[in-house]
Amino acid sequence: MQNQSEHPSKDVNVSMPRETRLMTDIPAYGQRFLVARFWRSASGFWRRPGAATAWTPTLLLLSSVLFQLMIQYRLSYWGRDFFDAFGRRDGGVLKAQALLFLPLAGASLLVAVLGVWSLMTTQRRWRLWLTQYLIDRWLENDLFRSLQFAVGEDQNPEYRIAEDARIAVDSPLSMAVGLLKAVLSAGIFIGILWNVGGDLAVGVFGYVLTVPKYLVIAVAIYSALLTLAMIFIGRRLVSVIAGKNAAEAQFRSVGSHLRERDKFATNSVGKIEQHNSLSHALQDVIDRWRELCVQLMQTTLVSQGNVLLAPVIAWVLCAPKYLVGTMSLGEVAQVTAAFVIVQAALNWLVENYSGLADCLSSINRVASLLLALDQLSSQGQN
């Protein structure tokens, strides 16, 4: 447990009640500190006694990622041989490649199923452990009685334990797996672009200019531009999603605690105030979702444009070497597939920007809940 003196706040008035002081302190913490506070508790899932139930599906998940990449790499060479035979109209080789595809496809399907099982099993068990941990901390020494005022309506502790904890568990694990795939895919398939693509000789004003490993350079430049565009367009996405989640929590809290707060307001004036409270909270939710819609429309322009452009750019880059006969049809197909895979790996941030923003928002809210519990516990011991 953290001692309150570790995080002093100069803006806190000592005459304020304990609950108000806690609510004032929470926003002062930085993004990195909140993530570190969350991980310090959440990682206990793999450090606790009897953690074999956590490590078994986790290791199977990592194995499925490696096996899937091995199969994908082999399929890239299968595609090369298939299209070369297709271009030569070689029926014997086409038949052999068709038969080879069956075990490769079957292995890919089995590994994919194993990946889904291990991912969801790890998520499910981690959520069970973390949620129970938060509940135990919340109910410890009746801390929930003070915390309901410390957190406030827009930071409902029940919503954090039920919904934010789910997102804070599901999203990081899925994204960690995706990031691992992206890093390994980039390392593996850049080799194909490097070796198969080779150098490109271009005539410029009567001179021959050689661009070494031009496909690797092209995919790096293209991915960098795409990532910069997504970062620029979606720079407000994290704050927008955080505001949307806070508004949703406030709306739920107003509805669930309205009768308790206004149980003596039985006259018409009280009913009007109750209706206005719910209406204002609902309108705030709708406004936040509208703002999120605008942000996602902008990021979709970048991501969907990438889906359309990436394979076309790869084919165009390969066309000069194919037309002069230095690259076969199968090699063009293999390099195009590798180009798409590498740019997708390098643009992992582009494809996961909104999910990352939603994930960080929930992690921050769970971490803030843990910090409030830390402070209440330390004050109770003093």
Side-chain angles (χ1 to χ4, degrees), residues 213-339:
K213 312 304 179 186
Y214 76 108
L215 289 176
V216 176
I217 296 174
V219 75
I221 294 174
Y222 174 76
S223 300
L225 292 175
L226 198 64
T227 299
L228 289 175
M230 179 60 77
I231 292 175
F232 176 76
I233 291 175
R235 62 190 181 278
R236 293 186 58 249
L237 194 56
V238 174
S239 60
V240 169
I241 290 179
K244 182 265 296 181
N245 290 344
E248 291 281 10
Q250 180 180 5
F251 181 56
R252 287 175 172 84
S253 182
V254 170
S256 62
H257 296 96
L258 191 60
R259 181 166 57 182
E260 179 181 350
R261 294 198 313 267
D262 299 333
K263 60 183 178 180
F264 297 110
T266 58
N267 54 30
S268 58
V269 175
K271 292 180 180 179
I272 293 175
E273 291 178 351
Q274 293 173 355
H275 185 274
N276 289 339
S277 297
L278 282 173
S279 297
H280 290 157
L282 176 59
Q283 186 60 49
D284 188 34
V285 169
I286 299 303
D287 291 341
R288 298 287 186 171
W289 273 101
R290 184 184 297 109
E291 189 177 7
L292 178 60
C293 177
V294 173
Q295 287 291 306
L296 293 181
M297 288 170 60
Q298 295 173 350
T299 57
T300 300
L301 286 175
V302 178
S303 60
Q304 188 62 26
N306 173 52
V307 171
L308 298 173
L309 283 177
V312 174
I313 291 175
W315 281 98
V316 170
L317 290 173
C318 292
K321 300 192 71 172
Y322 175 73
L323 293 176
V324 299
T326 57
M327 186 179 289
S328 68
L329 178 61
E331 289 175 332
V332 172
Q334 181 186 26
V335 166
T336 300
F339 187 94

Side-chain angles (χ1 to χ4, degrees), residues 38 130 134 156 158-169 245 249 358-359 361-363 365-366:
F38 170 80
L130 180 61
L134 291 172
N156 186 359
E158 295 88 347
Y159 183 83
R160 295 185 176 206
I161 293 174
E163 185 64 15
D164 285 318
R166 178 188 65 81
I167 298 174
V169 165
N245 290 344
D358 199 11
C359 172
S361 173
S362 292
I363 286 177
R365 290 169 59 79
V366 174

Side-chain angles (χ1 to χ4, degrees), residues 90-136:
D90 191 335
V93 175
L94 283 174
K95 182 178 179 180
Q97 291 300 315
L99 293 176
L100 178 60
F101 177 76
L102 295 178
L104 290 174
S108 179
L109 291 174
L110 288 176
V111 172
V113 171
L114 175 63
V116 171
W117 177 86
S118 54
L119 174 62
M120 297 195 68
T121 299
T122 305
Q123 288 173 328
R124 185 178 68 251
R125 293 177 181 177
W126 193 13
R127 182 189 179 187
L128 173 63
W129 182 88
L130 180 61
T131 304
Q132 189 61 58
Y133 174 84
L134 291 172
I135 291 174
D136 292 343

Side-chain angles (χ1 to χ4, degrees), residues 33-205:
F33 182 83
L34 289 173
V35 173
R37 179 61 190 91
F38 170 80
W39 180 247
R40 183 157 62 87
S41 292
S43 61
F45 175 63
W46 287 277
R47 295 183 285 104
R48 61 191 169 86
T53 56
W55 281 106
T56 299
T58 303
L59 294 176
L60 286 175
L61 179 59
L62 295 176
S63 300
S64 69
V65 171
L66 297 177
F67 281 121
Q68 194 66 267
L69 287 175
M70 291 171 57
I71 296 170
Q72 192 175 23
Y73 182 74
R74 181 63 185 86
L75 281 171
S76 73
Y77 282 92
W78 174 89
R80 182 199 64 183
D81 297 338
F82 179 85
F83 278 100
D84 279 340
F86 193 86
R88 298 191 308 266
R89 295 180 174 84
D90 191 335
V93 175
L94 283 174
K95 182 178 179 180
Q97 291 300 315
L99 293 176
L100 178 60
F101 177 76
L102 295 178
L104 290 174
S108 179
L109 291 174
L110 288 176
V111 172
V113 171
L114 175 63
V116 171
W117 177 86
S118 54
L119 174 62
M120 297 195 68
T121 299
T122 305
Q123 288 173 328
R124 185 178 68 251
R125 293 177 181 177
W126 193 13
R127 182 189 179 187
L128 173 63
W129 182 88
L130 180 61
T131 304
Q132 189 61 58
Y133 174 84
L134 291 172
I135 291 174
D136 292 343
R137 289 291 313 278
W138 189 41
L139 299 179
E140 181 183 8
N141 298 325
D142 291 337
L143 293 182
F144 69 94
R145 299 184 185 278
S146 299
L147 194 62
Q148 62 181 332
F149 301 107
V151 178
E153 292 180 352
D154 61 335
Q155 303 175 36
N156 186 359
E158 295 88 347
Y159 183 83
R160 295 185 176 206
I161 293 174
E163 185 64 15
D164 285 318
R166 178 188 65 81
I167 298 174
V169 165
D170 289 354
S171 296
L173 198 57
S174 298
M175 289 187 176
V177 172
L179 183 58
L180 176 62
K181 288 181 180 178
V183 172
L184 294 178
S185 296
I188 292 172
F189 288 94
I190 279 179
I192 294 178
L193 298 179
W194 184 280
N195 296 319
V196 180
D199 304 336
L200 178 66
V202 182
V204 180
F205 300 112

